[in-house]
Amino acid sequence: MVYDGNPVSDPQEVCEAFVTFFSSVFSHTTEQVRNYQFSSPFTFNGLLFAEDEVFKAMGGLDGSKGCGPDMIPPRVLKYCRVLLCGPLTAMFNKSISTGTFLDVLKVGYVIPIHKSGHQENVANYRPIVIQPALAKLFEKLK
């Protein structure tokens, strides 16, 4: 691999090159949002999910996808939705009502995907994030 004109061959150095490059092109607006203070109390009263909504969203998961950091394959959620729908609905509604999201669901794997050009150049890659299956499910609910 090559980063900034310098050859990199050690696996640890290759990882660090990707981290440095992806960090250099990352927009830091997330920090601004995270530190934003609402001027008035903000609640999600009345915004709760019904079990049938969660059941339907679980059926829409792509069972061919691999595990995320939670090590739960989406196919487990998809094919066991009859049993898991109730507890997950309760967990998601608790998350909404308390305004919290489990830290374990905020973790993701960043994977470099080649865009175009020479595959040896770190700058020719874009990052994608592999999220936990439960985070994807929560995101599907609207």
Side-chain angles (χ1 to χ4, degrees), residues 41-53:
F42 184 76
T43 61
F44 289 104
N45 290 340
L47 176 66
L48 295 177
F49 303 117
E51 280 192 34
D52 62 330
E53 291 176 283

Side-chain angles (χ1 to χ4, degrees), residues 49-58 82 85-87 89-90 93:
F49 303 117
E51 280 192 34
D52 62 330
E53 291 176 283
V54 176
F55 185 83
K56 183 178 178 183
M58 292 173 83
V82 171
C85 174
T89 302
N93 285 337

Side-chain angles (χ1 to χ4, degrees), residues 51-65 73-82 85 88 92 133-142:
E51 280 192 34
D52 62 330
E53 291 176 283
V54 176
F55 185 83
K56 183 178 178 183
M58 292 173 83
L61 290 172
D62 187 348
S64 68
K65 298 288 185 181
R75 89 182 95 203
V76 169
L77 297 178
K78 182 174 186 164
Y79 299 121
C80 298
R81 64 184 183 260
V82 171
C85 174
L88 290 178
F92 293 151
L134 291 174
K136 289 181 193 177
L137 178 61
F138 188 83
E139 187 177 320
K140 284 174 91 57
L141 296 167
K142 295 179 183 182

Side-chain angles (χ1 to χ4, degrees), residues 17-73:
F18 277 113
V19 168
T20 303
F21 174 68
F22 291 156
S23 296
S24 72
V25 296
F26 176 73
S27 170
H28 295 282
T29 57
T30 342
E31 271 307 308
Q32 296 166 352
V33 171
R34 184 179 300 136
N35 294 327
Y36 182 77
Q37 298 295 318
F38 292 103
S39 58
S40 63
F42 184 76
T43 61
F44 289 104
N45 290 340
L47 176 66
L48 295 177
F49 303 117
E51 280 192 34
D52 62 330
E53 291 176 283
V54 176
F55 185 83
K56 183 178 178 183
M58 292 173 83
L61 290 172
D62 187 348
S64 68
K65 298 288 185 181
C67 297
D70 59 357
M71 299 308 293
I72 300 173

